Amino acid sequence: ETAVFQTPNYHVTQVGNEVSFNCKQTLGHDTMYWYKQDSKKLLKIMFSYNNKQLIVNETVPRRFSPQSSDKAHLNLRIKSVEPEDSAVYLCASSFTGGAPEQYFGPGTRLTVL
Amino acid sequence: QQKVQQSPESLTVSEGAMASLNCTFSDRSSDNFRWYRQHSGKGLEVLVSIFSDGEKEEGSFTAHLNRASLHVFLHIREPQPSDSALYLCAVSRDSGTYQRFGTGTKLQVVP
């Protein structure tokens, strides 16, 4: 049963455009994450965020930014997309503390032309 | 920096035959290990988590951890075609924030 929801499922856009992806979780978790999964299926963490702290993977370009309205929502904005941004973006959530189990959404596939 | 590698890259097994997947990691202080499954076009679902040396069974999935040899294995008992998917291991430290994912094994179960 899906408890982490992502929209849209797919998005095709052109270089230089701005895009925004939505993520919502209904599990009552207080930490949310964004991952990028490349064409080789390799998963890399981009951000983790709870009410107190945003942790950014230092390899993430500045054109990426997370946006949160409350602890159940964490959106991802890409200011000016580039071809290498084509990937699947996966949202996840968990409780805070230790290395907790994360629950994943179905992903948003971005294609940059 | 933690490196997590999986082998084989792809594996084909017959329905009902045991499937064994391997994951190696580099950080000896790691103490959280998870196996995930990802069906095509879907998100990840956790299969089994293991935190100490030995075995942990969840249904038809058994994780085997040997931290001295820097290995964590996943054995799938009597796999079905519906188990065909990408299998990912994830390694982290309890005191750390991030899980680091392996390179994945694509499993195909044929009737």
Side-chain angles (χ1 to χ4, degrees):
Chain A
E1 185 178 346
T2 304
V4 181
F5 303 91
Q6 290 187 242
T7 58
N9 294 329
Y10 304 93
H11 189 77
V12 181
T13 190
Q14 294 189 326
V15 171
N17 285 349
E18 177 175 317
V19 299
S20 187
F21 303 145
N22 300 316
C23 180
K24 169 188 170 181
Q25 55 93 5
T26 57
L27 296 164
H29 290 157
D30 48 19
T31 300
M32 296 184 72
Y33 312 80
W34 277 101
Y35 288 84
K36 179 181 179 181
Q37 187 173 34
D38 63 22
S39 58
K40 295 183 179 179
K41 305 297 183 183
L42 192 60
L43 265 167
K44 288 187 178 176
I45 184 76
M46 301 178 72
F47 306 100
S48 69
Y49 180 76
N50 62 26
N51 283 339
K52 298 175 185 175
Q53 193 177 20
L54 169 67
I55 300 177
V56 181
N57 186 331
E58 64 273 8
T59 65
V60 174
R62 289 189 175 186
R63 61 181 180 277
F64 290 84
S65 60
Q67 299 174 318
S68 178
S69 56
D70 55 54
K71 70 175 187 178
H73 296 82
L74 185 67
N75 299 333
L76 179 67
R77 187 179 82 150
I78 313 174
K79 210 169 181 180
S80 176
V81 295
E82 298 187 7
E84 60 264 32
D85 298 337
S86 294
V88 175
Y89 291 87
L90 290 160
C91 175
S93 70
S94 73
F95 291 113
T96 298
E101 190 167 304
Q102 295 177 13
Y103 293 79
F104 284 79
T108 293
R109 180 178 292 279
L110 172 66
T111 301
V112 181
L113 302 175
Chain B
Q1 189 180 18
Q2 172 85 274
K3 291 189 178 180
V4 183
Q5 307 239 310
Q6 290 183 239
S7 62
E9 192 173 314
S10 64
L11 177 65
T12 300
V13 299
S14 298
E15 184 176 354
M18 175 80 78
S20 294
L21 285 62
N22 180 30
C23 175
T24 62
F25 54 97
S26 60
D27 184 351
R28 290 188 178 276
S29 62
S30 302
D31 52 15
N32 279 262
F33 305 87
R34 291 192 170 93
W35 282 96
Y36 291 87
R37 178 170 70 182
Q38 185 180 30
H39 284 107
S40 182
K42 304 291 185 182
L44 278 65
E45 60 173 313
V46 64
L47 300 173
V48 57
S49 303
I50 187 166
F51 309 113
S52 58
D53 285 344
E55 290 191 348
K56 174 82 177 294
E57 185 177 317
E58 295 283 356
S60 61
F61 302 101
T62 300
H64 182 110
L65 174 62
N66 183 331
R67 280 194 288 183
S69 67
L70 301 172
H71 284 270
V72 56
F73 299 95
L74 179 69
H75 304 294
I76 308 172
R77 189 173 57 254
E78 298 183 352
Q80 302 299 307
S82 58
D83 292 316
S84 298
L86 179 71
Y87 287 77
L88 294 160
C89 75
V91 180
S92 61
R93 284 180 287 150
D94 190 56
S95 58
T97 305
Y98 298 150
Q99 299 183 102
R100 190 166 293 275
F101 283 84
T103 47
T105 292
K106 187 172 182 181
L107 175 69
Q108 186 172 10
V109 182
V110 296

